[in-house]
Amino acid sequence: MNPTSEFELLPRDLTPYRRGNTGIDYVHRFESGRPGPHVLVNALTHGNEFCGMVAATHLLDTGVRPRIGTLTVSFANVAAYESFDPAKPLESRQLVHNMNRIWSAAWLDGAEDSPELSRARAMRPAVAAADHILDLHSTSTDVQPFWVYPQFARNADTALAIGRPAVHLVMPQGLGSGTPLIQHGRHGQAEGAGVALVAECGGHFRRASGELATEVALDFLAHFGLIERAPLAPKPPQQRFELLQTWVIKTPEFRFSRPLVGFETFDDGALIATDGAEEVRALCERCTVLMPTRRPIVGREGVYLARPLD
Ligand SMILES: [Zn+2]
């Protein structure tokens, strides 16, 4: 692929955003002085997912301020972001740990250290302080955008009310491969009150992903009353999937049975991939694959298998 056409989005210098006003680098907080929810919009949990950077810098550059409650805007894995190399565009996702799998007390309070653990520990008070969280992501292939969230009514109600992305991947049992930011603390608990959503906004390096991330961030703020903005109308038909299995790669021989980009469907029992001697097979009729890896690495997610809900 022509490198100039592959990268419609590239990193910009985030140094001017380093010094926030919370005592945590790259975390900015704006208080309205009026009662209302505290909403966090977070970018760059994965360092090469530039759409969140576009949305977060838009909020800061245009001076978006909450009319009620509190707005926090953060850039998470800036260290990985700054390591971006166009010759190896998938490598700056993380430096050591996947920053979207370490939000459990076991990891955060554990003895291990890495750039991601250190950053998550620094950001922990900002994440824990938020009532509602939007975590902006993108995908390695240019597939349709979709929400990802634990299967709590409060999450589904919000994502359906916003209406874009129009596709929803709901997780009845979490991710199965670690604790994502949106399941940190009370946001991972069924009886909790706070909404926490991931929006996968399209391909990592597509301009449209940055534009969608910005729209979704503004929609999210409007949903909770922080800004005034007309709801999306008409809302497109919504399509929901339930996560059945997260396949974590076990061997260097992991291979898909055919090239996949995401949203392909398989008949029950059909072969999706092989992983050494093991087979990854469809778990239901119209079993749908999401986020098939472009770069199989042992110990990382290879593919998500989901069931269409309606
Ligand atoms: Zn991501």
Side-chain angles (χ1 to χ4, degrees):
M1 195 183 294
N2 178 346
T4 54
S5 69
E6 187 179 1
F7 300 109
E8 297 172 356
L9 285 183
L10 282 166
R12 60 185 265 197
D13 178 20
L14 291 184
T15 310
Y17 305 91
R18 176 170 187 149
R19 197 135 88 120
N21 55 353
T22 62
I24 309 167
D25 281 354
Y26 300 104
V27 179
H28 300 257
R29 181 164 297 157
F30 306 101
E31 290 172 357
S32 68
R34 299 175 61 193
H38 181 167
V39 178
L40 169 65
V41 176
N42 180 60
L44 296 176
T45 294
H46 292 132
N48 63 346
E49 301 186 359
F50 301 146
C51 65
M53 174 275 292
V54 172
T57 53
H58 175 88
L59 296 179
L60 297 171
D61 295 349
T62 60
V64 170
R65 296 292 181 269
R67 36 194 289 281
I68 59 166
T70 299
L71 167 64
T72 297
V73 180
S74 56
F75 304 87
N77 201 346
V78 178
Y81 170 83
E82 289 177 339
S83 77
F84 182 74
D85 175 354
K88 295 179 281 186
L90 301 181
E91 293 209 353
S92 55
R93 175 180 178 79
Q94 64 197 67
L95 294 174
V96 177
H97 286 109
N98 181 343
M99 200 174 164
N100 209 26
R101 301 291 180 271
I102 56 174
W103 288 91
S104 59
W107 276 109
L108 295 173
D109 296 331
E112 214 172 314
D113 204 5
S114 71
E116 284 81 13
L117 282 164
S118 165
R119 180 63 179 149
R121 286 167 186 147
M123 283 186 67
R124 187 177 187 172
V127 173
D131 295 312
H132 307 300
I133 299 170
L134 175 65
D135 192 20
L136 293 165
H137 288 251
S138 55
T139 48
S140 61
T141 55
D142 296 330
V143 290
Q144 56 188 305
F146 56 99
W147 298 104
V148 186
Y149 50 83
Q151 196 172 36
F152 306 141
R154 60 188 190 266
N155 289 334
D157 290 349
T158 299
L160 288 163
I162 291 173
R164 68 180 151 187
V167 176
H168 305 242
L169 175 61
V170 300
M171 305 185 292
Q173 269 104 38
L175 267 176
S177 54
T179 304
L181 185 149
I182 59 166
Q183 287 185 256
H184 176 61
R186 63 196 162 114
H187 289 99
Q189 291 162 4
E191 62 279 10
V195 171
L197 307 173
V198 158
E200 299 279 357
C201 297
H204 293 330
F205 312 117
R206 293 291 164 220
R207 186 176 300 110
S209 305
E211 291 166 357
L212 179 67
T214 303
E215 296 295 329
V216 174
L218 294 169
D219 288 346
F220 195 78
L221 298 182
H223 180 79
F224 292 107
L226 271 67
I227 62 171
E228 287 189 66
R229 177 172 230 249
L232 182 65
K235 286 196 183 67
Q238 307 284 302
Q239 190 182 12
R240 299 186 311 138
F241 296 89
E242 176 186 78
L243 179 65
L244 298 177
Q245 186 182 21
T246 302
W247 188 273
V248 177
I249 296 173
K250 298 174 182 170
T251 74
E253 287 77 47
F254 180 90
R255 297 284 180 278
F256 290 111
S257 60
R258 60 184 169 91
L260 299 175
V261 296
F263 290 99
E264 292 88 349
T265 59
F266 289 80
D267 293 336
D268 195 8
L271 184 68
I272 297 170
T274 53
D275 193 353
E278 290 191 57
E279 294 179 334
V280 184
R281 288 189 176 273
L283 298 167
C284 60
E285 281 307 320
R286 292 164 59 221
C287 190
T288 306
V289 299
L290 281 93
M291 294 183 278
T293 183
R294 280 174 61 184
R295 207 167 67 106
I297 294 176
V298 173
R300 294 200 194 170
E301 291 87 346
V303 66
Y304 299 81
L305 306 185
R307 177 173 73 90
L309 281 179
D310 27 43

